[in-house]
Amino acid sequence: MTSPDSTNPRNPEIAFISGPLDIGRDNTYFHTHYVPKINAAIERGHRFVIGPVAGVDRATLDYLLAYPIPPSHITIFVTPTENILMGDEFRSRAVNVHVVDGGSNMTTRDRDAAMTRASSYDILRWRPREEAKKFYGPMYREGYVTNTEMNWRRRRGISETEVVKEEDVGIFRDEKKRSSEKYVINALRGLFRTASQPSKD
C-alpha cells in the first residue's frame, strides 16, 4: 500500500472513504471519526473516492464540496443500477461519476472492491463489538463483517472468514491509546487543581 503522506501534486494519493449508514444525530459519528482524517488528506492535496449511499458517503460528499474541494477531485463509484437511480444527481453536483462494469447483478461489495483498486489508502471506521452491541441492540449480529470492515480487510488481503482481533486493528489501538492519554491528562489536571486550592485550616 502506498503511504498516505505523499504530497506529489502530479501523482496525488487517493483516499477511499467508507463507513456506516447510521452516523447519528447531527452526523456526530462522522465529525468525530472522519473529519480530522479528511482534513489531513485535504491538506496533503489528496483526491477522494466514495460510494453513493447514505451515511458516511453522503456526509463526506457534502463536507468536501462545502470545504470547498474542487468537484474534479472527487469521484463517486456506482453500480449500473445505482447509476440509473442516482447518477444524474451526482453529475449535477459536477463530481466525477464512475460506473463500475459488471451488469445489473453487481453487488455493493463488487463496487467497493473497485474503489479499493482505484485508491491508495482508506479512511474508515466500523463500530467495534461492544459499541456495536450497544448501538444496534437486538439487531446486533455476532461476527458479522460489515462492508466497511470488509474494505479494511480487502486492503490487507484478509478474507471475510478470517478471525481478526480488535486489538490487532490499528484504528482501535489508536483510539484506546488516545483515550488512555486523555484519562491521564484529566487526572493530572484534577490533581493540580486540588493542590492549588488554598487550605481551609
Side-chain angles (χ1 to χ4, degrees):
M1 183 179 71
T2 309
S3 167
D5 293 327
S6 173
T7 56
N8 183 352
R10 294 185 178 181
N11 188 27
E13 298 287 348
I14 301 174
F16 172 17
I17 304 176
S18 63
L21 296 174
D22 195 324
I23 53 178
R25 188 175 182 179
D26 299 324
N27 291 352
T28 302
Y29 185 94
F30 173 75
H31 287 287
T32 300
H33 299 294
Y34 285 79
V35 167
K37 294 179 180 179
I38 292 173
N39 287 347
I42 292 171
E43 291 173 4
R44 296 184 182 115
H46 294 180
R47 305 295 190 263
F48 303 93
V49 296
I50 55 179
V53 297
V56 165
D57 288 0
R58 293 291 183 131
T60 296
L61 178 59
D62 291 341
Y63 183 81
L64 290 174
L65 291 177
Y67 193 84
I69 294 300
S72 61
H73 292 185
I74 305 165
T75 302
I76 311 294
F77 276 60
V78 294
T79 66
T81 300
E82 289 169 338
N83 182 49
I84 294 171
L85 297 174
M86 297 176 279
D88 287 344
E89 172 195 348
F90 294 121
R91 292 184 183 92
S92 71
R93 303 185 74 175
V95 298
N96 303 304
V97 177
H98 178 82
V99 183
V100 182
D101 293 332
S104 59
N105 293 325
M106 172 173 288
T107 67
T108 55
R109 286 202 175 179
D110 293 331
R111 181 244 292 151
D112 287 353
M115 284 192 277
T116 298
R117 292 191 297 270
S119 58
S120 313
Y121 69 103
D122 296 292
I123 296 176
L124 55 73
R125 183 188 188 271
W126 66 95
R127 290 182 172 91
R129 184 173 182 271
E130 292 305 316
E131 182 181 325
K133 287 174 68 175
K134 182 178 180 180
F135 183 84
Y136 293 110
M139 296 179 64
Y140 172 75
R141 288 183 283 174
E142 186 71 44
Y144 176 71
V145 175
T146 66
N147 284 352
T148 306
E149 181 180 349
M150 192 63 225
N151 294 338
W152 180 88
R153 287 169 173 262
R154 187 186 306 110
R155 183 80 65 185
R156 291 156 180 79
I158 301 173
S159 71
E160 183 175 357
T161 57
E162 187 172 342
V163 176
V164 175
K165 297 180 180 179
E166 287 181 2
E167 56 264 33
D168 294 331
V169 179
I171 303 166
F172 304 131
R173 278 203 314 270
D174 292 345
E175 287 182 2
K176 187 174 182 179
K177 180 181 178 182
R178 287 194 298 270
S179 179
S180 298
E181 290 172 347
K182 185 177 180 181
Y183 175 83
V184 171
I185 291 171
N186 288 339
L188 291 173
R189 285 174 176 170
L191 289 172
F192 178 78
R193 284 195 296 268
T194 301
S196 62
Q197 289 177 353
S199 174
K200 295 182 180 180
D201 295 338

